[in-house]
Amino acid sequence: MSINELDAPLKPITEGDERLTGLIMPSKSVQLMSPREGIVAKIDVEEDTSVKEGDRLAQMDDALQVVAVEAARLEVERSKAVLEEAKLQVDQIERLFAKGATTDHEVRQRKLTQLGSEIDLDRSKAAHDLEKLRLDTQFKLKAPFDG
C-alpha cells in the first residue's frame, strides 16, 4: 500500500462489501504518571473502558495527606481563638488607657500582638488551602482527554 492510498478519502463500508483487514490505531495516547510516588489505593476504570476528560482513573493512598489537611484546619481554628483573645485584650487595654490606668506603650504592644495574630491566622489559612490543594491534585490520576 502506498502513502497515497493511506491519504485517500475513506468510503463507508456497506453490506455486501468485501471484508477488509487492518490495524486500528488510537488517535491519541499518553503515558500517565502520578504527580507523586506512593501506593495506588484504587483503580477506577477497567481496561478498554471509555473515559471523559477529567474522569478519575486511579486514587493514590492519601491517608497521611488527609491527616495533614485536618491538622492545618485545626491550626486555623487555634489561630482564630488566639486572634479573638488578642482582640479582647486590645479592647480591655484601651478601656484602661481611657481611664488613665495604663500607658500608650502597653496599648501599642497589645495592638502589635493582635496584628501578629491576624498574620498568623492568614498564614494558617494559606497552609490549610495548600494542603487541601495537594489532596485534590496530587493523589488523583485523571484522564487528560476523552478516549
Side-chain angles (χ1 to χ4, degrees):
M1 186 174 275
S2 72
I3 299 276
N4 290 338
E5 289 175 304
L6 289 175
D7 289 336
L10 298 176
K11 63 178 184 173
I13 298 176
T14 59
E15 192 173 326
D17 283 345
E18 60 187 78
R19 291 196 172 255
L20 303 174
T21 59
L23 179 63
I24 298 174
M25 303 283 295
S27 63
K28 290 183 183 179
S29 67
V30 65
Q31 183 177 5
L32 298 174
M33 295 180 65
S34 173
R36 64 174 40 230
E37 292 182 11
I39 298 170
V40 175
K42 182 179 179 188
I43 297 176
D44 296 304
V45 294
E46 299 287 329
E47 189 173 347
D48 296 326
T49 302
S50 292
V51 296
K52 298 286 185 197
E53 181 178 345
D55 283 355
R56 188 173 77 179
L57 305 175
Q59 172 73 41
M60 303 298 289
D61 180 14
D62 61 0
L64 291 176
Q65 188 61 31
V66 169
V67 171
V69 170
E70 179 62 11
R73 186 193 67 77
L74 292 172
E75 180 60 24
V76 169
E77 294 303 315
R78 187 201 65 77
S79 295
K80 285 178 181 178
V82 169
L83 177 57
E84 286 306 309
E85 178 61 25
K87 287 178 178 180
L88 290 173
Q89 288 184 10
V90 167
D91 289 344
Q92 181 184 32
I93 204 73
E94 284 177 337
R95 284 193 304 274
L96 290 172
F97 181 73
K99 295 178 183 177
T102 191
T103 65
D104 181 53
H105 174 74
E106 186 63 31
V107 172
R108 286 194 316 268
Q109 286 296 108
R110 297 280 174 97
K111 285 183 177 182
L112 187 58
T113 299
Q114 179 181 336
L115 179 61
S117 297
E118 290 169 355
I119 291 168
D120 286 344
L121 177 57
D122 288 344
R123 185 179 300 131
S124 64
K125 284 179 178 179
H128 181 246
D129 290 346
L130 179 60
E131 295 301 339
K132 285 193 323 186
L133 181 64
R134 285 182 179 141
L135 180 62
D136 292 340
T137 60
Q138 295 185 0
F139 293 87
K140 295 174 182 123
L141 189 60
K142 295 186 178 185
F145 51 79
D146 293 351

